[in-house]
């Protein structure tokens, strides 16, 4: 009886919130909190290491580089973030260097953090902890005192030094060493220090200087790069160039803290609108408003002070099905549309119309073009599909014409893509979609014959042309269908496409070593400039020869010369001319089958405010608003539990148990009769 | 008994070494240190020099099993990464996080699902099997076996998705997924436990039914009946205690492994347990976590086997340690 009472009370208590299925039982229902999901644990939260979308969603709200993209303007436009104005750029023709002078706004303060906590007499509180003290700190919240200080130019300089620190291992060191003066020498110097002191956790980088990076005054610093590189300004909007105070390293490098995962890679320290108040990537990550955040307003709306939210809760949701269910229940404010849910979400018959159930709920659909590209590359080093002869070019053109990219997008991407007309996505200078359908198997057969393979057979040997298609497979059934589709496309013109499916590691190794013929590849832009796509075909970036990003290993001297000219200029009209000239060269050689530009379909529940997403705008969370009252009301409406099945279940149990009880009683009686 | 346990612990050492070697060889057959570095550094702009630097910083620049330059087994990845495991120092993951801390954070969520699922499942399976054994040969038994076979043939994934759809989405009784600590955790673990129990009914009931039927055919049962005991008295007073011997020993062996969690359940219900930790590590090619989890799993399995042997001696007086 007592147990029954306890169970009943527990159930009543659990049901005390408005809905039984509420996954946030401890949160007030009308809090100004955004609820979102993440599917992959972030690996790094250190701005010098982090280089993926899954990590940027968190740290881009915390760290602030000097520049950002305007939230509303398209094409994307850079504007100052912590900088007081756009950088001054001066080219020195004698030294062949370009200097960027960046001034930051005064009065910007870091979030409260123990690394910045001070004693009453001014020295750092937690920088010289004893071993037994360190043992008592298990998480950052165990440090009771927090401090802050003003952001200064030296913090930006310090972070650039961190990019070259061999122990930090920043992924962009390889790119930056070719540009920033003295970057490689700086690393060599730090490496020597580590070699002399193998036990050193991290170097105090304040005592070393990079030739090309200087602090001019409290609010000004300069970066000097070799030659001209107009795209460098975009790097200044990336988190690699966000400030890190030296106190953070001094604090985190104390022996023993890393054993409790207390490191900069786990607990960020920034000046942005949010701070990471809960860091549990196994459950949830919570961003809360940074009380030290300066006055910043929504573009064009001085009445809207940023950030518009108080809190953002990201819950770990590995699988798409439960994430979708939670979106429909109103427990996630926004959602993508996975392949499994596409038919439920969108109205049949194509077009951009939501299904009836979603429209009735007031769900909003936004479609935006990602700055990315999916393409099929020919390995230009391959003796069959590669090379620059007329014959090999015709073979590649024939294969290109046999690929029905439209059909591919419709079948395998639910139509969420735009066929590409070149390597630059639409929305960027020179970016263009395919103006007409390129699919033409008859013309493909003709070109194949001219390439020496009439009917897909080698003119000399009579053997059928076999081409190997490299694929990284994950066991997903739709991937098998995709490969079968590709084979059938080639069969139409008589080519035997042999699929070489391997795991991703083997696949990547084959591409890196140039042991492939055709394969599918993709690229997400780092910044909104055509250069970030055109460089994928620049000869000295060949992946097999120079570990670059040119996976097709394309190397055409004419294209290379045009590209070199292109990257040195900053005039759009001139650039467009060069892009068109490069397209001509590419269309003749056809190193890629122009694939498509993927589109992102995002759904927003009715209480979600204005959205202007863009694929390079990572710090967008500060502009998001929601209507918490409407959300609380709709959640309650949508989630009242259905009780009647309980009674149905009870009846079902009785129906099942009754024959058993009846049989038992009957057998007992039968036994008694026999006994008599 | 202590002598026996000591002997079994000594036997465990070569087993652990063997498992370590096999794990290491299998892992590095599929993943080179370069691949591990790529996973950590990402795939954009990463040069060979950066890969080499990462390997050097994380100790993956050494030879795999034998260092021919230094004629040494100790200056190898295998030795450097494995030897500390034997003093339960799991080290740090390839991403730089402390593995021991992660394990201590994650074992409780795993247990919060696994323990109730085991207890409730055991109870349900035994009761169902007893009912079927009671009505052996009748239509309840007949249909019970058919339902068990059908239930066994359905994938656990189906139970998970169907459970989430009906219980959480249609009926809205519990959250679809998630986990919180404390009292509210009850409503998060209810559905995974239910799914786990339902998914296990078929196999469990069939096995226990077979054990009960085997016991029922024994002479002591006939003797009990000839004494005039009723069928329930025979079943619960005689058959059940004797059939519990194989049931309990079967359960004891899996108790330590409950710590390891369930890979599928934890993934779909977003339970931050050790099962999802292992899955993440495999996906991220984090060798340090994979070897730590395999090592831990092996130890727990060995502990389970030792406990099984001990439980045999406790429940069956005919069995001796020697």
């Amino acid at each position: 009886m007592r147990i029954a009472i306890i169970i009943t009370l527990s159930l009543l208590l659990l049901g005390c919130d408005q809905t039984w299925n509420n996954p946030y039982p401890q949160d007030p229902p009308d809090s100004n909190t955004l609820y979102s999901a993440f599917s992959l644990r972030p690996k790094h939260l250190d701005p010098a290491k982090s280089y993926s979308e899954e990590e940027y969603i968190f740290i881009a709200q915390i760290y602030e580089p000097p520049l950002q993209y305007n939230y509303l303007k398209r094409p994307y436009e850079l504007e100052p973030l912590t900088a007081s104005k756009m950088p001054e750029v001066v080219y020195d023709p004698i030294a062949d260097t370009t200097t960027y002078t960046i001034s930051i706004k005064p009065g910007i303060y870091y979030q409260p953090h123990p690394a910045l906590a001070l004693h009453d007499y001014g020295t750092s509180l937690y920088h010289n902890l004893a071993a037994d003290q360190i043992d008592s700190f298990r998480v950052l919240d165990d440090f009771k005192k927090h401090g802050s200080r003003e952001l200064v130019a030296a913090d930006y300089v310090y972070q650039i030094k961190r990019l070259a620190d061999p122990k930090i291992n920043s992924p962009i060191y390889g790119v930056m060493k070719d540009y920033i003066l003295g970057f490689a020498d700086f690393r060599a110097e730090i490496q020597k220090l580590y070699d002399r002191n193998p036990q050193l956790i991290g170097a105090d980088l304040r005592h070393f200087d990079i030739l090309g990076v200087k602090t001019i005054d409290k609010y000004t610093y300069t970066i000097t790069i070799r030659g001209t590189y107009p795209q460098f300004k975009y790097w200044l909007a990336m988190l690699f160039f966000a400030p890190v105070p030296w106190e953070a390293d001094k604090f985190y490098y104390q022996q023993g803290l890393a054993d409790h995962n207390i490191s900069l890679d786990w607990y960020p320290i920034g000046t942005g609108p949010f701070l990471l108040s809960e860091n549990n990537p196994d459950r949830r990550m919570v961003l809360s408003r940074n009380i030290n955040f300066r006055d910043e307003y929504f573009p064009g709306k001085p009445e809207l002070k940023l950030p518009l939210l108080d809190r953002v809760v990201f819950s770990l949701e590995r699988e798409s099905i439960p994430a979708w269910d939670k979106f429909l229940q109103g427990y996630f404010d926004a959602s993508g549309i996975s392949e499994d849910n596409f038919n439920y979400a969108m109205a049949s018959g194509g077009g951009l119309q939501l299904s009836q159930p979603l429209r009735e709920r007031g769900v909003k659909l936004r479609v935006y073009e990602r700055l990315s590209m999916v393409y099929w590359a020919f390995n230009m080093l391959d003796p069959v599909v590669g090379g620059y002869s007329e014959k090999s070019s015709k073979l590649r053109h024939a294969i290109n014409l046999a690929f029905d990219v439209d059909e591919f997008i419709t079948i395998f991407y639910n139509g969420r893509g735009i066929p590409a007309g070149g390597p630059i996505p639409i929305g960027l200078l020179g970016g263009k979609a395919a103006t007409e359908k390129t699919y033409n198997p008859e013309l493909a057969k003709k070109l194949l014959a001219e390439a020496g393979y009439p009917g897909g057979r080698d003119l000399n040997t009579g053997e059928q042309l076999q081409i190997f298609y490299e694929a990284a497979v994950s066991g997903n059934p739709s991937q098998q269908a995709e490969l079968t589709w590709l084979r059938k496309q080639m069969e139409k013109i008589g080519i035997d496409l042999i699929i070489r499916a391997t795991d991703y590691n083997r696949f990547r190794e084959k591409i890196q070593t140039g042991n492939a013929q055709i394969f599918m590849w993709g690229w997400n832009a780092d910044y909104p400039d055509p250069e970030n796509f055109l460089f994928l075909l620049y000869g000295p970036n060949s992946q097999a020869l120079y570990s670059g990003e040119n996976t097709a290993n394309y190397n055409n001297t004419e294209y290379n010369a045009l590209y070199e000219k292109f990257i040195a200029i900053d005039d759009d009209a001139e650039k467009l001319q060069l892009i068109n000239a490069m397209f001509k060269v590419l269309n003749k050689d056809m190193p890629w089958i122009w694939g498509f530009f993927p589109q992102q379909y995002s759904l927003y529940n009715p209480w979600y405010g204005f959205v202007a997403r863009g694929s390079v705008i990572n710090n967008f969370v500060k502009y998001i608003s929601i209507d918490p009252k409407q959300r609380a009301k709709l959640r309650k409406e949508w989630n009242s539990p259905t009780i009647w099945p309980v009674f149905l279940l009870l009846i079902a149990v009785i129906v099942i148990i009754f024959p058993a009880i009846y049989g038992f009683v009957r057998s007992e009686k039968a036994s008694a009769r026999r006994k008599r | 008994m202590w002598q026996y346990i000591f002997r079994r612990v000594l036997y465990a050492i070569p087993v652990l070494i063997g498992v370590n070697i096999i794990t290491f060889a299998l892992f590095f057959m599929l993943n080179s240190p370069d691949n591990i570095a790529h996973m950590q550094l990402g795939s954009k702009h990463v040069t060979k020099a950066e890969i080499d630097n990462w390997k050097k910083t994380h100790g993956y620049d050494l030879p795999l099993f034998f260092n021919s330059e230094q004629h040494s087994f100790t200056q190898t990845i295998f030795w450097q990464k494995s030897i500390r495991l034997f003093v339960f120092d799991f080290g740090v993951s390839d991403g730089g996080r402390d593995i021991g801390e992660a394990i201590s954070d994650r074992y409780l969520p795993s247990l919060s699902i696994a323990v109730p699922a085991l207890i409730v499942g055991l109870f349900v399976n035994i009761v169902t099997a007893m009912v079927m054994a009671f009505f052996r040969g009748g239509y309840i038994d007949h249909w019970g076996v058919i339902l068990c076979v059908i239930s066994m043939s359905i994938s656990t994934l189906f139970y998970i998705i169907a459970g989430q759809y009906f219980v959480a989405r249609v009926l809205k009784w519990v959250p679809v997924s998630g986990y919180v600590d404390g009292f509210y955790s009850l409503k998060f673990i209810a559905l995974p436990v239910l799914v786990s129990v339902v998914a296990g009914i078929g196999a469990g009931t069939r096995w226990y039914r077979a054990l009960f039927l085997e016991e029922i055919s024994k002479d002591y049962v006939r003797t009990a009946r000839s004494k005039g005991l009723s069928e329930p008295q025979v079943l619960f007073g005689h058959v059940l205690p004797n059939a519990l011997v194989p049931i309990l020993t079967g359960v004891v062996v899996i108790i330590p492994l409950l710590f390891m969690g369930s890979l599928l359940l934890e993934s779909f219900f977003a339970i931050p347990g050790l099962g999802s930790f292992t899955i993440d590590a495999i996906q991220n090619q984090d060798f340090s976590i994979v070897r730590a989890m395999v090592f831990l799993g092996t130890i727990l399995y060995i502990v389970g086997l030792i406990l099984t042997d001990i439980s045999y001696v406790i429940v069956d007086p005919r069995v001796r340690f020697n």
Side-chain angles (χ1 to χ4, degrees), chain B residues 181-203:
Chain B
D181 290 318
F183 179 69
Y184 281 113
S185 67
L186 282 178
K187 73 177 191 179
F188 289 94
I189 64 171
L191 185 56
V193 169
L194 176 74
V195 166
S196 180
V197 169
V198 171
I201 279 181

Side-chain angles (χ1 to χ4, degrees), chain A residues 10 13-14 17 19-26 40-45 51 138 166-167 169-175 187 191 195 235 258-261 265-266 281-283 316-319 321-322 324-326 328-329 344 503-506 508-509 512 523-526 532 535 547 549 638-643 645-646 649 659-661 663-664 667-668 675, chain B residues 29-32 34-36 38-51 53-58 92 94-99 101-102 105-106 109 131 134-135 139-140 161 164-165 168-181 183-188 228-232 266-272 276-277 279-280 283-285:
Chain A
S10 304
L13 267 172
L14 285 174
D17 52 15
T19 49
W20 296 1
N21 63 354
N22 180 7
Y24 319 110
Q26 288 136 331
L40 290 172
R41 277 170 61 97
K43 282 186 208 142
H44 302 292
L45 299 176
Y51 202 2
R138 313 302 292 187
K167 280 219 171 170
N169 231 314
S170 173
I172 64 155
Y173 168 77
V175 180
R187 171 174 272 205
Q191 184 60 58
D195 291 342
W235 286 98
D259 295 344
H260 305 311
N261 291 330
D265 211 16
W266 197 249
D282 304 323
R283 295 186 200 182
L316 178 64
E317 207 64 72
R318 284 190 180 81
E319 305 295 335
I321 297 172
W324 176 249
D325 288 343
K326 280 186 177 172
L328 292 181
Q329 293 176 336
Y344 177 83
D503 62 274
Y504 183 68
N505 287 336
R506 295 289 91 73
R508 192 175 51 202
E509 275 168 18
Q512 278 172 343
W523 181 257
N524 290 322
D526 291 312
N532 201 231
F535 92 112
S547 305
E549 300 293 351
W638 292 349
N639 293 293
S640 58
T642 312
I643 311 284
V646 177
L649 211 66
I661 296 170
F664 170 72
S667 78
E668 283 300 288
K675 273 176 199 165
Chain B
M29 244 185 248
L30 296 170
N31 304 287
S32 63
D34 282 26
N35 292 330
I36 299 173
H38 256 296
M39 282 306 288
Q40 294 304 322
L41 293 171
S43 51
K44 282 173 121 180
H45 302 301
V46 177
T47 59
K48 179 84 178 67
E50 285 312 290
I51 299 277
N53 184 47
W54 187 91
K55 287 195 295 183
K56 192 179 171 195
T57 317
H58 293 82
V92 292
D94 293 335
R97 312 254 154 88
D98 190 80
I99 298 171
E101 287 270 320
D105 285 347
R106 283 168 167 269
V131 170
F134 183 83
F135 294 106
Y139 77 94
I140 290 178
I161 293 171
Q164 283 184 326
Y165 182 78
R169 182 165 159 184
V170 177
L171 302 177
K172 301 166 189 112
W173 288 354
V174 290
V176 179
S177 63
Y179 187 84
V180 295
D181 290 318
F183 179 69
Y184 281 113
S185 67
L186 282 178
K187 73 177 191 179
F188 289 94
L229 296 181
S230 67
E231 194 62 13
E266 288 182 10
S267 187
F268 269 83
F269 287 101
I271 307 291
S276 50
F277 186 52
I279 282 278
D280 281 351
Q283 282 171 350
N284 292 333
Q285 297 171 22

Side-chain angles (χ1 to χ4, degrees), chain B:
Chain B
M1 183 172 86
W2 292 111
Q3 230 181 3
Y4 173 81
I5 293 172
F6 182 68
R7 206 167 57 233
R8 288 296 300 267
V9 171
L10 285 183
Y11 290 161
I13 292 170
V15 174
L16 283 169
I17 293 171
V19 168
N20 244 303
I21 291 173
I22 292 168
T23 311
F24 185 85
L26 286 175
F27 190 92
F28 282 97
M29 244 185 248
L30 296 170
N31 304 287
S32 63
D34 282 26
N35 292 330
I36 299 173
H38 256 296
M39 282 306 288
Q40 294 304 322
L41 293 171
S43 51
K44 282 173 121 180
H45 302 301
V46 177
T47 59
K48 179 84 178 67
E50 285 312 290
I51 299 277
D52 291 342
N53 184 47
W54 187 91
K55 287 195 295 183
K56 192 179 171 195
T57 317
H58 293 82
Y60 284 103
D61 56 335
L62 299 168
L64 290 178
F65 276 112
F66 180 69
N67 192 330
S68 53
E69 275 179 24
Q70 298 184 22
H71 301 286
S72 156
F73 283 104
T74 58
Q75 287 306 307
T76 58
I77 298 177
F78 177 70
W79 184 271
Q80 298 288 329
K81 298 276 174 193
S82 301
I83 197 68
R84 284 178 307 172
L85 286 175
F86 288 86
V87 289
F88 291 94
D89 176 2
F90 295 114
V92 292
S93 69
D94 293 335
R97 312 254 154 88
D98 190 80
I99 298 171
E101 287 270 320
I103 291 172
S104 66
D105 285 347
R106 283 168 167 269
Y107 79 90
L108 275 178
S110 282
L111 286 180
S112 70
I113 304 290
V115 171
L118 177 75
I119 294 168
V120 177
L122 210 55
F123 175 76
V124 170
N125 292 348
I126 288 174
V127 169
T128 320
M130 288 290 281
V131 170
M132 286 166 68
F134 183 83
F135 294 106
R136 59 197 171 277
Y139 77 94
I140 290 178
D141 182 34
H142 184 72
W143 280 103
V145 171
I146 291 173
L147 286 175
C148 281
V149 172
I150 292 171
S151 152
M152 285 164 66
S153 316
I154 297 171
S155 149
T156 309
L157 194 61
F158 174 82
Y159 290 108
I160 294 172
I161 293 171
Q164 283 184 326
Y165 182 78
F166 285 109
V167 182
R169 182 165 159 184
V170 177
L171 302 177
K172 301 166 189 112
W173 288 354
V174 290
V176 179
S177 63
Y179 187 84
V180 295
D181 290 318
F183 179 69
Y184 281 113
S185 67
L186 282 178
K187 73 177 191 179
F188 289 94
I189 64 171
L191 185 56
V193 169
L194 176 74
V195 166
S196 180
V197 169
V198 171
I201 279 181
T205 303
R206 274 204 69 200
W207 183 43
Y208 297 155
R209 174 185 167 275
L211 293 175
F212 292 141
L213 289 182
E214 194 187 327
E215 287 298 317
I216 282 172
S217 64
K218 287 184 177 168
D219 287 345
Y220 73 89
V221 176
R222 198 180 305 139
T223 309
R225 285 202 186 106
S226 66
K227 275 161 59 186
L229 296 181
S230 67
E231 194 62 13
Q233 280 174 318
V234 171
L235 275 177
F236 288 98
H238 294 272
V239 174
L240 183 60
N242 285 294
L244 274 181
V245 175
I247 292 175
L248 280 180
T249 48
V251 169
V252 167
V253 76
I254 61 166
I255 284 174
L257 288 172
L258 296 180
F259 282 89
M260 300 300 285
S262 158
L263 305 183
L264 260 186
L265 273 179
E266 288 182 10
S267 187
F268 269 83
F269 287 101
I271 307 291
L274 289 172
S276 50
F277 186 52
T278 313
I279 282 278
D280 281 351
I282 294 167
Q283 282 171 350
N284 292 333
Q285 297 171 22
D286 195 319
F287 172 67
S288 300
I289 298 178
V290 171
R291 56 144 179 125
M293 293 309 292
V294 171
F295 185 82
L296 190 65
T298 313
I299 287 181
L300 292 171
Y301 190 67
I302 290 167
V303 170
L305 289 176
I306 295 173
L307 289 177
T308 309
D309 289 353
I310 295 168
S311 65
Y312 263 123
V313 177
I314 293 169
V315 296
D316 190 345
R318 290 168 299 180
V319 181
R320 291 282 177 273
F321 281 118
N322 57 3

